[in-house]
Amino acid sequence: MKLCVIPGDGIGREVIPCAVAVLKRVLPDLDFVEAEAGWDCFQRTGTALPEATLDAIRACGTALFGAVSSPAYKVEGYRSPIVHLRQALDLYANLRPTRTLWSAAARLGGRPQAVDLILVRENTQGLYSGRERMQGEEAIAERVITRAASERIGRVAFELARTRERKTVTIVHKANILPITDGLFRDSVRAVGQAYPEVAVNEMLVDTAAMMLASRPAQFDVIVTTNLFGDILSDVASVWGGGIGVAPSLNLGSQVAIAEPVHGSAPDIAGKGIANPSGAILSAALLARHYWNLPEVADRIERAVYAALESGTQTPDLGGQATTQALLAEVLRRL
Ligand code: NAI
Ligand code: MG
């Protein structure tokens, strides 16, 4: 087994080595190939995603991607490499689980809820279709939905749900305002669900879903939704699990999988040695569970991370004082 490692920019370079250290401990035979992408790479080489990086990912079949900095304005020739990768490698599903981190949820006030949900985000189209342009005085972004892509993401959601205890899929959309695009998404996912009589299906409008994720998150099992909604809702959900420093994700395609913490390059804390490595480490666990089919390895990693965090070894984003290295050491000790 081979893994292409792409630390990227900012704290990507601090958290990805932690995930690699954990993988070396639990999978001693795994080979690593390092590759580059991101803003630094763009400034040095003129491309944010070198062809050699794409080749390395294809050759390995899997990658661990840190985070990259993308300017929030148009830079000629620059394109976010992770969005590019999702489209170029047809990584059509983005799995984003959230589980309650009790010590973090307690600080949110009220009574903490037992959240154990997984958000399944369509990863290649929707409002991130890449079709954005000026047309005279109008700035236009095209929100593309196809039946094929909706059915494909629907199958991922139902396949996951059937393996879970509550076996429930919630389709999140905005078909009241977007009846053509989100109507197609909703109906296509529902049609896929007919083949899974053991799985319960319900649906919810996206604004209600945001409110419910903030107030009554325990009701959700598997959520399936379009690209932009999934991006935003997964950050809302992540708060129950300790926030985006803890949130993991896995980009899944038919051939390749890329594990990636949900967070960005965090320029405000980069270089200080205090980034939370949990999201990166838990992303590696997702690779083990959903791509390498090693659920016991994934369980081991997840148990070690949650035990380390719940025991009080926490980085400043969680209210603690631990450094990145101290939290890594605690996770390794528990492995
Ligand atoms: P961000 O996720 O980098 O940071 C948001 C806040 O969360 C910051 O206060 C940061 O310090 C904190 N944070 C994030 N990850 C953390 C961790 N592991 N440990 C402790 N604290 C953490 O999002 P922001 O600031 O909106 O974007 C910064 C840059 O990252 C931008 O250039 C953006 O384009 C890029 N970005 C890249 C992503 C990717 O590569 N997949 C995803 C999101 C943003
Ligand atoms: Mg995001």
Side-chain angles (χ1 to χ4, degrees):
M1 288 187 329
K2 269 190 181 174
L3 177 65
C4 178
V5 177
I6 307 166
D9 298 314
I11 63 166
R13 297 191 191 144
E14 297 168 47
V15 298
I16 292 303
C18 298
V20 169
V22 165
L23 283 171
K24 283 189 169 152
R25 180 69 61 88
V26 295
L27 294 170
D29 295 332
L30 183 62
D31 286 330
F32 298 89
V33 177
E34 186 138 342
E36 56 178 2
W39 180 246
D40 275 3
C41 176
F42 174 74
Q43 291 191 306
R44 258 183 301 111
T45 68
T47 169
L49 184 63
E51 203 52 47
T53 298
L54 269 164
D55 289 344
I57 299 171
R58 287 198 188 96
C60 293
T62 56
L64 181 59
F65 186 94
V68 294
S69 302
S70 292
Y73 48 86
K74 181 102 186 118
V75 173
E76 218 39 63
Y78 182 86
R79 186 172 173 214
S80 162
I82 189 66
V83 175
H84 189 169
L85 277 172
R86 288 168 182 160
Q87 285 171 351
L89 300 173
D90 200 23
L91 299 164
Y92 59 87
N94 194 326
L95 309 186
R96 298 191 155 187
T98 299
R99 201 193 296 169
T100 300
L101 184 66
W102 294 100
S103 49
R107 280 199 305 276
L108 297 173
R111 190 186 308 147
Q113 298 181 39
V115 180
D116 182 7
L117 64 83
I118 182 159
L119 188 142
V120 179
R121 163 184 171 191
E122 200 292 319
N123 217 20
T124 55
Q125 44 183 225
L127 205 50
Y128 295 174
S129 65
R131 302 194 204 163
E132 202 189 8
R133 62 179 186 279
M134 287 305 296
Q135 194 170 295
E137 288 303 299
E138 286 183 318
I140 298 174
E142 288 180 31
R143 186 164 182 277
V144 178
I145 305 282
T146 64
R147 184 185 307 279
S150 304
E151 288 176 349
R152 198 161 62 160
I153 198 70
R155 269 191 295 280
V156 173
F158 283 99
E159 283 296 329
L160 265 175
R162 78 195 300 185
T163 67
R164 292 168 63 91
E165 206 175 305
R166 288 181 286 164
K167 301 188 184 358
T168 304
V169 169
T170 303
I171 309 169
V172 172
H173 59 77
K174 190 76 180 176
N176 55 336
I177 306 297
L178 300 164
I180 298 179
T181 46
D182 269 16
L184 178 61
F185 178 78
R186 189 252 334 266
D187 295 346
S188 306
V189 174
R190 271 202 178 272
V192 168
Q194 309 244 295
Y196 299 84
E198 73 275 35
V199 179
V201 190
N202 50 52
E203 55 183 273
M204 199 177 276
L205 296 175
V206 63
D207 36 0
T208 304
M211 184 269 290
M212 289 294 185
L213 277 170
S215 58
R216 290 179 44 213
Q219 67 183 288
F220 296 105
D221 180 22
V222 176
I223 295 173
V224 61
T225 190
T226 54
N227 207 339
L228 172 70
F229 295 164
D231 189 3
I232 298 170
L233 292 181
S234 57
D235 275 26
V236 178
S238 79
V239 171
W240 299 99
I244 52 172
V246 184
S249 84
L250 183 66
N251 299 278
L252 261 183
S254 42
Q255 256 125 58
V256 173
I258 301 184
E260 172 209 1
V262 168
H263 63 74
S265 58
D268 54 337
I269 59 164
K272 295 186 178 157
I274 54 167
N276 190 336
S278 303
I281 297 170
L282 291 172
S283 297
L286 290 181
L287 208 47
R289 182 182 307 285
H290 298 286
Y291 190 83
W292 289 324
N293 200 17
L294 296 170
E296 63 294 337
V297 170
D299 283 342
R300 254 184 92 195
I301 298 173
E302 288 167 359
R303 271 199 303 272
V305 170
Y306 280 89
L309 292 173
E310 296 288 28
S311 76
T313 307
Q314 299 190 345
T315 41
D317 54 307
L318 290 169
Q321 288 173 346
T323 60
T324 307
Q325 288 306 314
L327 179 48
L328 170 64
E330 187 61 21
V331 171
L332 290 174
R333 194 178 70 76
R334 286 167 190 273
L335 281 171

